[in-house]
Amino acid sequence: MDEPIQLDALGAGGPYRSRSRLPIRELGGRPVAELSLVPRLYVQRTMAALHRARTMPADERVSALTRAGRLFETGVVGGLGAEEYRHIVSRVSGMPITVVRSAASGIAHRAGEAYRTTRYARPEGAVDDWRDPLTRSGQAVWTRRGDVFAVHAAGNHPGVHTLWLEALAMGYRVAVRPSRREPFTPHRLITALRESGFGEDQVALLPTDYSVADDVIRDADLAMVYGGEEVVSKYGDDVRVLPQGPGRSKILLTEDDWERHLGTIVESVSAFGGTACVNTTAVFVRGDPAPVAAAVAERLAAIPSLPPEDDAAVLPVQPVTDARAVEKYLLDHVDGATPLLGGDGIVHDLGDGSGVLRPAVFLVDRPDAPQTGIELSFPCVWFAPWSPADGVGPLRNTLVLTAMTRDDDLVDRLVDDPSIRNVYLGDAPTFWMPQWVPHDAYLGEFLMRTKGVIRA
């Protein structure tokens, strides 16, 4: 058997292989890598080095990010070629290989565009440098709120690693605690960044066990943390931390011509294997939702069950015991909902220790049914009736709401509601998110501030 790949920590002194190493297994249970877990003292020393470091000049950051993106996508990094990296991510995470390939290309593109993307967040009346001639008569200067940014990364999709590249572009030093579920992407990306010009005291990879995880956050100036409701509850009141919780993205259909939107609904539910926070998890229909739900269920039922490395794979795969646990959670929360797909189970056992998570479609009888707030890591959607009398209430607390409506007064209320972070009108899938559109606001709104400067 091949020796496991060694995923070393990447601290201020270079790669570090610890005595405490976590086996990373592919879906069938075979160990394919070992992730070095660092102790508290190592975290403290690395974070202190990031604080002491000087910020790279902006032009050097831009060039290094562009080089790193190309290397990440096409080169040999840490001994892994590009296709070998994509294959192992697919086999470990269960993400369809086509999704991994697309994400890798997206990371490379966003690295090259990271500095330009930050411009969307900068106030129009601000400049980047106090030396700008406009400061002679007084001007706002856009400046960092701190120097060191920490990230507790998610492992549900490689694309989560596009966002913190903007922090590097803005001059932050960045420390990433990777997900145990998929540490290959951040390890490859940070190695590529270092090989492309970022110093070891500019960007770090700090895998830790749970007892040390909070030290990474505590020793940073600002942080971003991915997770479920427990993360939002834990960090929601900390002004230094930007929680990235469940998306609970939704679609609202108020018109009768739903057939022409069917493809958009199906794609919104199933894109990325249904694992992303921008996947639709609830659809609200003015009138009877049953015909729409039945049509969506028919389309989703036709998706084949395939191993994730198959080019035709669409659905996510997990170790079969984990997949059964997801299935049990779902079926324990049906609570009177009507199943149109997946009511008798969602796991397709592939016979190698892994199982495909097949789509599920349910009908609930009221818009405030608690199931409409459930977000799971596969294509699972709840259809509910909605009427104008129900108002905005059932649509709140969502990352993306696609509203297929001609009611401008309703749109005013949706845009005004602070708990609905993005509003798409018409036939736009909830996963549509180009770099100029904010995710959960622009990251620059959290990391930067304006400061008045006048050179009298």
Side-chain angles (χ1 to χ4, degrees):
M1 185 176 68
D2 294 339
E3 287 294 314
I5 298 166
Q6 294 298 322
L7 298 175
D8 297 336
L10 301 173
Y16 173 75
R17 189 165 302 171
S18 67
R19 286 181 292 180
S20 175
R21 296 198 285 273
L22 177 75
I24 305 297
R25 303 180 187 275
E26 56 91 44
L27 295 164
R30 180 175 65 89
V32 295
E34 291 180 339
L35 179 65
S36 285
L37 303 180
V38 299
R40 177 169 285 110
L41 181 60
Y42 187 91
V43 169
Q44 292 171 348
R45 288 177 173 172
T46 299
M47 298 300 283
L50 265 60
H51 279 285
R52 289 194 301 268
R54 301 280 293 181
T55 298
M56 289 172 59
D59 58 340
E60 293 182 19
R61 300 197 302 268
V62 172
S63 298
L65 280 162
T66 301
R67 290 192 299 270
R70 289 196 296 263
L71 179 60
F72 174 86
E73 183 179 16
T74 63
V76 176
V77 181
L80 284 180
E83 191 56 33
E84 186 180 5
Y85 150 74
R86 292 188 280 261
H87 178 82
I88 199 168
V89 168
S90 181
R91 280 302 304 171
V92 168
S93 70
M95 184 74 62
I97 187 70
T98 53
V99 175
V100 178
R101 289 187 185 123
S102 175
S105 296
I107 290 170
H109 177 73
R110 292 293 287 268
E113 293 289 306
Y115 184 81
R116 190 171 72 87
T117 302
T118 66
R119 307 295 88 190
Y120 297 118
R122 193 188 75 175
E124 191 171 312
V127 296
D128 288 320
D129 195 297
W130 67 267
R131 298 172 183 84
D132 191 291
L134 291 174
T135 60
R136 293 189 184 279
S137 57
Q139 195 75 15
V141 175
W142 206 41
T143 186
R144 293 187 305 276
R145 293 179 57 211
D147 292 313
V148 177
F149 182 53
V151 181
H152 277 197
N156 61 312
H157 191 285
V160 300
H161 296 286
T162 61
L163 194 55
W164 58 260
L165 292 171
E166 293 184 16
L168 277 179
M170 288 183 273
Y172 276 87
R173 278 81 75 194
V174 176
V176 178
R177 179 181 181 264
S179 165
R180 299 177 175 206
R181 179 180 172 187
E182 199 278 274
F184 296 94
T185 295
H187 189 277
R188 180 179 179 85
L189 183 54
I190 290 172
T191 301
L193 287 162
R194 289 181 168 203
E195 292 182 8
S196 300
F198 281 94
E200 294 172 346
D201 58 0
Q202 297 290 319
V203 59
L205 183 81
L206 296 176
T208 71
D209 63 23
Y210 293 112
S211 67
V212 183
D214 279 345
D215 289 59
V216 181
I217 304 298
R218 184 199 63 207
D219 291 348
D221 297 314
L222 298 169
M224 178 169 63
V225 182
Y226 290 84
E229 281 298 336
E230 71 284 355
V231 164
V232 177
S233 298
K234 181 175 182 178
Y235 295 107
D237 295 329
D238 190 336
V239 297
R240 298 172 51 253
V241 178
L242 180 65
Q244 298 288 285
R248 299 193 179 97
S249 296
K250 304 173 179 69
I251 290 176
L252 172 66
L253 275 167
T254 70
E255 307 300 325
D256 294 332
D257 58 346
W258 59 265
E259 289 92 347
R260 70 187 183 94
H261 301 300
L262 183 58
T264 296
I265 299 170
V266 171
E267 289 181 7
S268 294
V269 173
S270 61
F272 316 127
T275 63
C277 56
V278 290
N279 281 116
T280 296
T281 55
V283 178
F284 296 84
V285 181
R286 183 173 183 175
D288 183 7
V292 192
V296 170
E298 182 179 5
R299 291 270 190 101
L300 293 174
I303 299 175
S305 295
L306 297 168
E309 67 273 19
D310 192 303
D311 282 338
V314 173
L315 300 173
V317 180
Q318 292 189 11
V320 71
T321 52
D322 295 346
R324 293 291 181 196
V326 174
E327 178 181 70
K328 182 179 185 304
Y329 179 90
L330 171 66
L331 298 180
D332 284 349
H333 287 79
V334 171
D335 292 333
T338 301
L340 299 185
L341 183 65
D344 55 355
I346 57 163
V347 178
H348 179 101
D349 194 330
L350 291 175
D352 63 351
S354 68
V356 178
L357 288 166
R358 293 203 49 79
V361 178
F362 290 86
L363 274 170
V364 293
D365 60 5
R366 66 182 201 274
D368 61 346
Q371 291 97 329
T372 60
I374 293 176
E375 180 174 287
L376 297 173
S377 56
F378 72 102
C380 178
V381 61
W382 307 82
F383 281 79
W386 179 90
S387 73
D390 297 312
V392 174
L395 309 173
R396 290 192 171 114
N397 300 310
T398 183
L399 178 59
V400 181
L401 173 67
T402 288
M404 299 171 180
T405 182
R406 297 184 180 92
D407 184 341
D408 289 352
D409 290 337
L410 173 61
V411 174
D412 283 339
R413 284 179 282 150
L414 297 176
V415 172
D416 287 343
D417 192 291
S419 75
I420 302 173
R421 277 95 83 195
N422 299 279
V423 177
Y424 297 169
L425 304 177
D427 201 45
T430 53
F431 62 82
W432 183 80
M433 199 153 284
Q435 62 201 39
W436 59 87
V437 173
H439 178 69
D440 186 359
Y442 291 117
L443 183 60
E445 296 177 50
F446 176 69
L447 293 181
M448 306 291 280
R449 55 159 293 185
T450 54
K451 180 182 295 187
V453 173
I454 184 168
R455 293 189 285 159

